[in-house]
Amino acid sequence: PIYWREFFSTDSLYESYLDHTKTMHAFRPIGLPEFGAFLARMGGRSCRLGGSLRQRGYRFGPLSTARAAFVRVTGLSVNWPE
């Protein structure tokens, strides 16, 4: 089974994105505001987790919801692994 978290911190998402752009030799990665707008288009909802750290991040809901948003936004047909 696939492990899926419904919440991802903004820092970890953006750091992963920047790491990916390095492997793809991207000339100029988008900034954090543009990245946040992209995540919103992909179905992410900006939020803060409770607790003492009040971590900022995005909620994508269940994996099936996140996958449906990806397909809707990109127009791609994907055979997802089970």
Side-chain angles (χ1 to χ4, degrees):
I2 297 173
Y3 173 74
W4 176 254
R5 296 178 297 161
E6 294 186 19
F7 175 86
F8 297 87
S9 75
T10 302
D11 291 342
S12 67
L13 288 170
Y14 193 62
E15 186 176 313
S16 293
Y17 162 71
L18 291 176
D19 288 345
H20 179 71
T21 61
K22 290 174 189 171
T23 65
M24 301 302 291
H25 305 290
F27 177 67
R28 192 175 303 147
I30 61 175
L32 191 53
E34 293 84 6
F35 184 69
F38 168 77
L39 293 175
R41 282 194 311 276
M42 296 303 291
R45 292 177 310 164
S46 179
C47 63
R48 285 184 162 194
L49 271 187
S52 60
L53 297 178
R54 301 282 301 162
Q55 190 174 28
R56 288 178 169 258
Y58 287 83
R59 286 194 185 280
F60 292 91
L63 181 57
S64 59
T65 302
R67 286 176 169 175
F70 177 85
V71 169
R72 184 182 70 253
V73 171
T74 64
L76 298 173
S77 176
V78 180
N79 291 322
W80 303 105
E82 296 301 320

